[in-house]
Amino acid sequence: MHEWTSDFPEELLSRLHGEATVGVLTGAGISAASGVPTFRGKDGLWKQYRPEELATPQAFARDPATVWEWYGWRRDLIREARPNAAHHALARLARHVRRLAIITQNVDGLHQRAALPDDVEVIELHGSIWTIRCTQCGREREDRSTGPRPPTLPHCDCGALERPGVVWFGEMLPNREIERAHRVASSCDAFLVVGTSSVVHPAAGLSQVALYSRAYVVEFNLEATPASGHVHLAVAGPCEQTLPALVDRLGQTAS
Ligand code: BJW
Ligand code: ZN
């Protein structure tokens, strides 16, 4: 594992040139500075529950009101949240390279709100917190309201209970998204892994895909993760500081 000290290695800077294709995988840590709690950090608990006890189809079948209450709490936090310096740094990075694709595990939609250039692809692996889906007929609808609020649970026109349109443990990721993510990871010059604990699969496997495909792989995290041993460079620190520092450095190189 290579630690960041005060400057970025030439090898990384040289991979982020004007003709480069760059893939980024993000997790909850990139939205922490926007006030959106991470899953596994010290703020990861909601009431007495761990995310693994709420983000499953079994938990929803057993106690939909509690699961909807958790999502209601998170929807309120996310509604108030704004993209932070890390999201904005990625939007700036896009202007330094030929192509940027952001693969996110986050359901908060904050990347899309950070003034990304139109040609930046955002791949939402775990869905969106603003999508609601029928448990029976599968109909999906966008809902940005302050609801739903238990004990009133949302129901579809077909009469069945609706659920958050996100991917829970034990559920398949959307085919199209996972295929797009693989294509990005296996065809980029540099792959940045930002603010994820790298324990949830298949997302956690994408950095290995990038590594085997000869990308230069860099992790940005507060601490070491299971991925840290398999990256070219681990940049330790809050990504809302380290990512802007990297893009500032690229700006200096360009001028
Ligand atoms: C900062 C920072 C700052 C903080 N700056 N850094 C292979 C091996 C083993 C198990 C499996 C496997 N393949 C599949 C599985 C099963 C399972 C899994 O991975 N289990 C493991 C936990 C063991 N995966 C699945 O079930 C997936 N489905 C699937 O694979 O289907 C096929 C299949 C099924 C069953 C068996 C086999 C195959 C689906 C996974 C769905 C995950 N869903 C959730 C909820 C989404 C909806 C919602 O948001 O409500 O996704 S769970 C939760 O974890 C959420 C996140 O996207 C995801 C990842 O978390 P993330 O983003 O990494 O957050 P944290 O909190 O863990 O970490 C934050 C990091 O940021 C930390 O490292 C901090 O240090 C750092 N940080 N502030 C920089 N300022
Ligand atoms: Zn329905």
Side-chain angles (χ1 to χ4, degrees), residues 6 24 30 32 35 63 65 69 72-73 95 106 109 113 117 134 140 154-155 163 171 180 189 193 209 211 237 246:
S6 58
V24 185
I30 196 168
D63 186 358
E69 196 186 338
W73 173 72
R95 297 182 170 87
N106 300 343
R113 291 173 50 199
C134 176
E140 287 196 348
H155 285 79
R163 55 163 283 178
E171 296 184 324
R180 287 166 74 199
D189 300 298
V193 184
V209 172
L211 200 67
L246 171 63

Side-chain angles (χ1 to χ4, degrees), residues 134-139 156-160 162:
C134 176
T135 54
Q136 289 303 315
C137 73
R139 186 192 72 165
C156 179
D157 292 342
C158 80
E162 289 176 307

Side-chain angles (χ1 to χ4, degrees), residues 7 29 73 79 83 102 113 125 149 170 176 183 196 200 205 214 241:
D7 204 2
W73 173 72
R79 189 178 297 102
I102 300 173
R113 291 173 50 199
L125 284 182
R149 278 279 172 277
R176 181 166 169 266
R183 205 173 312 131
T196 174
V200 175
R214 301 186 172 277
Q241 293 176 19

